[in-house]
Amino acid sequence: MSIAPLFFALLMWFIGTAAVVWLDSRPQHTFATSFRLSGLVALAATGAVWFTAGEQDAHGAYVGFGAAILIWGWHEMGFLMGFVAGSRRDPLPEGVTGWPRFRMAAATVMHHEIALALTALALFAITWGQSNQSAPLTFLLLFLLRLSAKFNLFLGVPNLSDEVFPAHLAYLKSYFRKRRMNALYPFSLIGTGAIAAWAWIAAESAPFGGEAAVTATLLFGLAALGIIEHLFLVLPLRDAKLWTWASSEAPSSRTTATTAAKTAITD
Protein backbone atom coordinates (compact mmCIF):
# COMPACT_ATOMS: atom_id res chain seq x y z
CA MET A 1 0.00 0.00 0.00
CA SER A 2 1.35 3.41 -1.01
CA ILE A 3 1.72 6.10 1.65
CA ALA A 4 0.84 8.98 -0.71
CA PRO A 5 -2.94 8.34 -0.79
CA LEU A 6 -2.99 8.10 3.01
CA PHE A 7 -1.27 11.46 3.29
CA PHE A 8 -3.69 12.95 0.76
CA ALA A 9 -6.71 11.64 2.70
CA LEU A 10 -5.37 13.11 5.94
CA LEU A 11 -4.59 16.43 4.25
CA MET A 12 -8.04 16.75 2.68
CA TRP A 13 -9.72 15.85 6.00
CA PHE A 14 -7.60 18.38 7.87
CA ILE A 15 -8.04 21.24 5.40
CA GLY A 16 -11.73 20.52 4.85
CA THR A 17 -12.57 20.44 8.56
CA ALA A 18 -10.53 23.57 9.29
CA ALA A 19 -12.20 25.48 6.45
CA VAL A 20 -15.71 24.57 7.64
CA VAL A 21 -14.83 25.48 11.24
CA TRP A 22 -13.41 28.85 10.19
CA LEU A 23 -16.31 29.77 7.91
CA ASP A 24 -18.89 28.69 10.49
CA SER A 25 -17.21 30.77 13.23
CA ARG A 26 -17.38 33.99 11.22
CA PRO A 27 -20.19 36.54 11.76
CA GLN A 28 -23.60 35.17 10.84
CA HIS A 29 -24.19 37.81 8.16
CA THR A 30 -21.41 36.17 6.11
CA PHE A 31 -23.11 32.76 6.04
CA ALA A 32 -25.24 33.30 2.94
CA THR A 33 -22.30 34.44 0.83
CA SER A 34 -20.08 31.62 2.09
CA PHE A 35 -22.78 29.05 1.41
CA ARG A 36 -23.42 30.34 -2.12
CA LEU A 37 -19.73 30.43 -3.01
CA SER A 38 -19.13 26.96 -1.58
CA GLY A 39 -22.14 25.81 -3.60
CA LEU A 40 -20.38 26.92 -6.76
CA VAL A 41 -17.30 24.98 -5.63
CA ALA A 42 -19.48 21.91 -5.03
CA LEU A 43 -21.02 22.29 -8.49
CA ALA A 44 -17.56 22.48 -10.07
CA ALA A 45 -16.52 19.43 -8.04
CA THR A 46 -19.54 17.52 -9.34
CA GLY A 47 -18.48 18.41 -12.86
CA ALA A 48 -15.00 17.11 -12.09
CA VAL A 49 -16.51 13.81 -10.91
CA TRP A 50 -18.40 13.45 -14.19
CA PHE A 51 -15.37 14.43 -16.27
CA THR A 52 -13.03 11.93 -14.60
CA ALA A 53 -15.52 9.07 -14.21
CA GLY A 54 -13.88 7.07 -16.98
CA GLU A 55 -10.29 7.53 -15.82
CA GLN A 56 -8.45 4.40 -14.75
CA ASP A 57 -5.36 5.98 -13.21
CA ALA A 58 -4.41 7.50 -9.88
CA HIS A 59 -5.29 11.02 -11.05
CA GLY A 60 -8.96 10.13 -11.38
CA ALA A 61 -9.02 8.59 -7.89
CA TYR A 62 -7.49 11.68 -6.30
CA VAL A 63 -9.85 14.01 -8.17
CA GLY A 64 -12.89 11.96 -7.18
CA PHE A 65 -11.88 11.82 -3.52
CA GLY A 66 -11.11 15.54 -3.36
CA ALA A 67 -14.36 16.40 -5.14
CA ALA A 68 -16.38 14.31 -2.70
CA ILE A 69 -14.77 16.12 0.24
CA LEU A 70 -15.62 19.50 -1.30
CA ILE A 71 -19.24 18.50 -1.92
CA TRP A 72 -19.49 17.12 1.61
CA GLY A 73 -18.08 20.36 3.01
CA TRP A 74 -20.80 22.34 1.26
CA HIS A 75 -23.48 20.14 2.80
CA GLU A 76 -21.93 20.49 6.25
CA MET A 77 -21.85 24.26 5.90
CA GLY A 78 -25.53 24.20 4.98
CA PHE A 79 -26.26 22.29 8.18
CA LEU A 80 -23.99 24.20 10.55
CA MET A 81 -25.06 27.57 9.21
CA GLY A 82 -28.72 26.66 9.62
CA PHE A 83 -29.80 26.60 5.97
CA VAL A 84 -30.61 22.88 5.74
CA ALA A 85 -31.36 20.99 8.95
CA GLY A 86 -34.84 19.68 9.72
CA SER A 87 -38.44 20.67 10.31
CA ARG A 88 -37.98 20.79 14.09
CA ARG A 89 -35.78 23.48 15.63
CA ASP A 90 -36.84 23.36 19.25
CA PRO A 91 -35.22 21.66 22.27
CA LEU A 92 -36.47 18.27 23.42
CA PRO A 93 -39.28 18.72 25.96
CA GLU A 94 -38.55 17.36 29.41
CA GLY A 95 -39.71 13.83 30.08
CA VAL A 96 -39.90 12.72 26.43
CA THR A 97 -38.32 9.29 25.93
CA GLY A 98 -38.43 6.26 23.65
CA TRP A 99 -39.96 6.47 20.20
CA PRO A 100 -41.30 10.04 20.58
CA ARG A 101 -37.76 11.20 21.47
CA PHE A 102 -36.39 9.47 18.37
CA ARG A 103 -39.04 11.01 16.11
CA MET A 104 -38.34 14.48 17.44
CA ALA A 105 -34.58 13.98 17.14
CA ALA A 106 -34.92 12.73 13.56
CA ALA A 107 -37.04 15.76 12.68
CA THR A 108 -34.19 18.09 13.68
CA VAL A 109 -31.83 16.75 10.99
CA MET A 110 -34.02 14.88 8.49
CA HIS A 111 -33.83 17.41 5.65
CA HIS A 112 -30.07 17.40 5.78
CA GLU A 113 -29.83 13.61 5.86
CA ILE A 114 -32.17 13.35 2.88
CA ALA A 115 -30.04 15.88 0.99
CA LEU A 116 -26.93 13.81 1.71
CA ALA A 117 -28.61 10.59 0.60
CA LEU A 118 -29.82 12.18 -2.64
CA THR A 119 -26.34 13.54 -3.33
CA ALA A 120 -24.83 10.09 -2.82
CA LEU A 121 -27.35 8.64 -5.28
CA ALA A 122 -26.55 11.42 -7.77
CA LEU A 123 -22.82 10.70 -7.58
CA PHE A 124 -23.43 7.01 -8.19
CA ALA A 125 -25.74 7.90 -11.07
CA ILE A 126 -23.25 10.11 -12.92
CA THR A 127 -20.49 7.51 -12.53
CA TRP A 128 -22.66 4.48 -13.21
CA GLY A 129 -20.84 1.86 -15.28
CA GLN A 130 -17.60 3.87 -15.21
CA SER A 131 -14.28 2.67 -13.84
CA ASN A 132 -13.63 5.52 -11.39
CA GLN A 133 -15.90 5.13 -8.35
CA SER A 134 -13.75 7.15 -5.95
CA ALA A 135 -16.21 10.04 -5.49
CA PRO A 136 -19.43 8.10 -4.78
CA LEU A 137 -17.68 5.59 -2.51
CA THR A 138 -15.98 8.40 -0.56
CA PHE A 139 -19.23 10.31 -0.13
CA LEU A 140 -21.10 7.15 0.89
CA LEU A 141 -18.47 6.33 3.51
CA LEU A 142 -18.67 9.85 4.91
CA PHE A 143 -22.45 9.51 5.08
CA LEU A 144 -22.29 6.17 6.91
CA LEU A 145 -19.74 7.49 9.39
CA ARG A 146 -21.92 10.53 10.02
CA LEU A 147 -25.01 8.41 10.66
CA SER A 148 -23.06 6.18 13.04
CA ALA A 149 -21.77 9.17 15.01
CA LYS A 150 -25.23 10.73 15.20
CA PHE A 151 -26.89 7.53 16.45
CA ASN A 152 -24.21 7.12 19.08
CA LEU A 153 -24.67 10.70 20.27
CA PHE A 154 -28.42 10.09 20.42
CA LEU A 155 -28.06 6.82 22.37
CA GLY A 156 -25.40 8.21 24.66
CA VAL A 157 -21.61 8.44 24.90
CA PRO A 158 -19.25 9.82 27.57
CA ASN A 159 -17.84 12.67 25.45
CA LEU A 160 -20.47 14.78 23.68
CA SER A 161 -18.27 17.81 22.89
CA ASP A 162 -21.52 19.79 22.95
CA GLU A 163 -19.78 22.92 24.19
CA VAL A 164 -18.66 23.65 20.66
CA PHE A 165 -22.10 23.91 19.03
CA PRO A 166 -23.05 27.27 17.51
CA ALA A 167 -25.77 29.22 19.28
CA HIS A 168 -28.33 28.70 16.52
CA LEU A 169 -27.94 24.91 16.84
CA ALA A 170 -27.86 24.79 20.64
CA TYR A 171 -31.26 23.07 20.69
CA LEU A 172 -29.63 19.94 19.22
CA LYS A 173 -27.71 19.36 22.46
CA SER A 174 -30.94 18.48 24.24
CA TYR A 175 -31.30 15.39 22.03
CA PHE A 176 -27.90 13.99 23.00
CA ARG A 177 -27.43 11.70 25.96
CA LYS A 178 -24.36 11.35 28.13
CA ARG A 179 -23.76 7.84 29.38
CA ARG A 180 -20.88 5.43 29.83
CA MET A 181 -21.72 3.28 26.79
CA ASN A 182 -24.53 2.25 24.44
CA ALA A 183 -25.23 -1.02 22.66
CA LEU A 184 -24.56 0.38 19.20
CA TYR A 185 -21.07 1.72 19.89
CA PRO A 186 -19.13 -1.58 19.70
CA PHE A 187 -20.86 -2.43 16.41
CA SER A 188 -19.97 1.03 15.07
CA LEU A 189 -16.31 0.38 15.79
CA ILE A 190 -16.46 -3.16 14.39
CA GLY A 191 -18.27 -2.00 11.26
CA THR A 192 -15.84 0.84 10.61
CA GLY A 193 -12.95 -1.51 11.26
CA ALA A 194 -14.42 -4.00 8.78
CA ILE A 195 -14.61 -1.28 6.12
CA ALA A 196 -11.00 -0.35 6.81
CA ALA A 197 -9.94 -4.01 6.56
CA TRP A 198 -11.84 -4.45 3.28
CA ALA A 199 -10.22 -1.32 1.84
CA TRP A 200 -6.78 -2.53 2.92
CA ILE A 201 -7.27 -5.92 1.27
CA ALA A 202 -8.65 -4.29 -1.89
CA ALA A 203 -5.66 -1.93 -2.07
CA GLU A 204 -3.18 -4.78 -1.61
CA SER A 205 -4.82 -6.96 -4.27
CA ALA A 206 -5.22 -4.23 -6.94
CA PRO A 207 -2.44 -3.29 -9.38
CA PHE A 208 -0.07 -0.90 -7.59
CA GLY A 209 -0.61 2.76 -8.44
CA GLY A 210 -3.81 2.20 -10.41
CA GLU A 211 -7.18 3.82 -9.81
CA ALA A 212 -8.55 0.87 -7.84
CA ALA A 213 -5.54 0.66 -5.53
CA VAL A 214 -5.47 4.42 -4.88
CA THR A 215 -9.23 4.58 -4.30
CA ALA A 216 -9.09 1.69 -1.83
CA THR A 217 -6.16 3.27 0.01
CA LEU A 218 -7.99 6.60 0.25
CA LEU A 219 -11.04 4.82 1.65
CA PHE A 220 -8.84 2.99 4.15
CA GLY A 221 -7.41 6.31 5.32
CA LEU A 222 -10.90 7.79 5.69
CA ALA A 223 -12.16 4.75 7.59
CA ALA A 224 -9.15 4.93 9.91
CA LEU A 225 -9.97 8.58 10.62
CA GLY A 226 -13.56 7.47 11.27
CA ILE A 227 -12.34 5.01 13.89
CA ILE A 228 -10.37 7.78 15.58
CA GLU A 229 -13.41 10.06 15.55
CA HIS A 230 -15.52 7.35 17.17
CA LEU A 231 -12.86 6.80 19.84
CA PHE A 232 -13.06 10.49 20.71
CA LEU A 233 -16.68 9.85 21.71
CA VAL A 234 -15.58 7.69 24.62
CA LEU A 235 -12.07 8.88 25.48
CA PRO A 236 -11.56 11.68 28.06
CA LEU A 237 -10.24 13.96 25.34
CA ARG A 238 -11.90 16.93 23.68
CA ASP A 239 -11.32 16.66 19.92
CA ALA A 240 -12.78 20.16 19.54
CA LYS A 241 -9.52 21.51 20.98
CA LEU A 242 -7.77 20.31 17.83
CA TRP A 243 -9.57 23.01 15.86
CA THR A 244 -9.58 26.06 18.12
CA TRP A 245 -6.84 27.61 16.02
CA ALA A 246 -9.10 27.50 12.94
CA SER A 247 -11.88 29.53 14.53
CA SER A 248 -12.09 33.22 13.71
CA GLU A 249 -13.60 33.93 17.15
CA ALA A 250 -11.85 34.48 20.44
CA PRO A 251 -11.59 31.35 22.61
CA SER A 252 -13.96 32.80 25.21
CA SER A 253 -16.76 33.26 22.67
CA ARG A 254 -16.07 30.41 20.32
CA THR A 255 -19.21 28.47 19.40
CA THR A 256 -18.17 26.48 16.36
CA ALA A 257 -19.69 23.09 15.67
CA THR A 258 -16.60 21.00 15.19
CA THR A 259 -18.12 17.67 16.17
CA ALA A 260 -21.02 18.00 13.75
CA ALA A 261 -18.75 19.30 11.00
CA LYS A 262 -16.64 16.16 10.94
CA THR A 263 -18.01 12.89 9.51
CA ALA A 264 -16.33 11.06 10.77
CA ILE A 265 -15.29 13.67 8.87
CA THR A 266 -17.87 12.57 11.39
CA ASP A 267 -19.56 15.03 12.56
Side-chain angles (χ1 to χ4, degrees):
M1 180 181 289
S2 173
I3 193 67
L6 295 177
F7 178 76
F8 184 78
L10 177 62
L11 185 65
M12 288 298 300
W13 169 82
F14 184 81
I15 294 176
T17 302
V20 171
V21 168
W22 183 73
L23 290 170
D24 186 57
S25 65
R26 299 184 68 211
Q28 197 163 358
H29 69 266
T30 67
F31 286 1
T33 299
S34 296
F35 187 57
R36 283 195 295 266
L37 292 177
S38 64
L40 294 177
V41 173
L43 183 62
T46 304
V49 171
W50 175 81
F51 187 75
T52 60
E55 293 192 8
Q56 301 182 30
D57 55 12
H59 173 265
Y62 284 120
V63 171
F65 183 88
I69 296 295
L70 291 174
I71 297 169
W72 181 267
W74 174 62
H75 276 286
E76 287 304 282
M77 286 175 60
F79 175 73
L80 295 174
M81 293 178 176
F83 295 115
V84 183
S87 58
R88 181 177 180 82
R89 304 204 177 194
D90 299 311
L92 180 70
E94 290 188 16
V96 177
T97 60
W99 179 247
R101 175 174 174 258
F102 177 79
R103 286 193 297 105
M104 290 183 180
T108 64
V109 295
M110 186 58 66
H111 295 164
H112 187 238
E113 305 308 316
I114 291 174
L116 291 173
L118 291 176
T119 300
L121 290 175
L123 291 175
F124 275 105
I126 65 178
T127 59
W128 188 261
Q130 301 297 317
S131 58
N132 183 11
Q133 295 294 309
S134 177
L137 290 176
T138 298
F139 197 91
L140 178 62
L141 179 54
L142 288 169
F143 186 35
L144 293 176
L145 291 173
R146 175 189 174 86
L147 287 177
S148 175
K150 280 188 173 296
F151 275 113
N152 276 287
L153 287 169
F154 172 78
L155 294 172
V157 290
N159 185 8
L160 300 178
S161 292
D162 55 0
E163 77 278 3
V164 295
F165 262 61
H168 57 274
L169 293 181
Y171 63 91
L172 289 176
K173 296 188 289 185
S174 65
Y175 296 89
F176 298 165
R177 178 181 293 173
K178 190 168 186 177
R179 55 191 297 193
R180 295 181 62 182
M181 184 56 63
N182 68 76
L184 175 65
Y185 184 81
F187 294 98
S188 295
L189 276 184
I190 292 171
T192 307
I195 293 173
W198 166 82
W200 177 281
I201 294 171
E204 289 294 307
S205 60
F208 183 81
E211 180 274 327
V214 173
T215 294
T217 306
L218 290 167
L219 293 175
F220 169 79
L222 193 58
L225 289 169
I227 292 174
I228 295 173
E229 290 291 339
H230 277 71
L231 289 175
F232 270 121
L233 296 176
V234 298
L235 295 176
L237 300 171
R238 293 292 186 179
D239 59 337
K241 293 182 179 180
L242 296 173
W243 308 101
T244 54
W245 62 271
S247 175
S248 63
E249 298 180 357
S252 60
S253 60
R254 186 176 294 114
T255 55
T256 56
T258 308
T259 299
K262 298 177 293 181
T263 31
I265 307 181
T266 344
D267 33 242

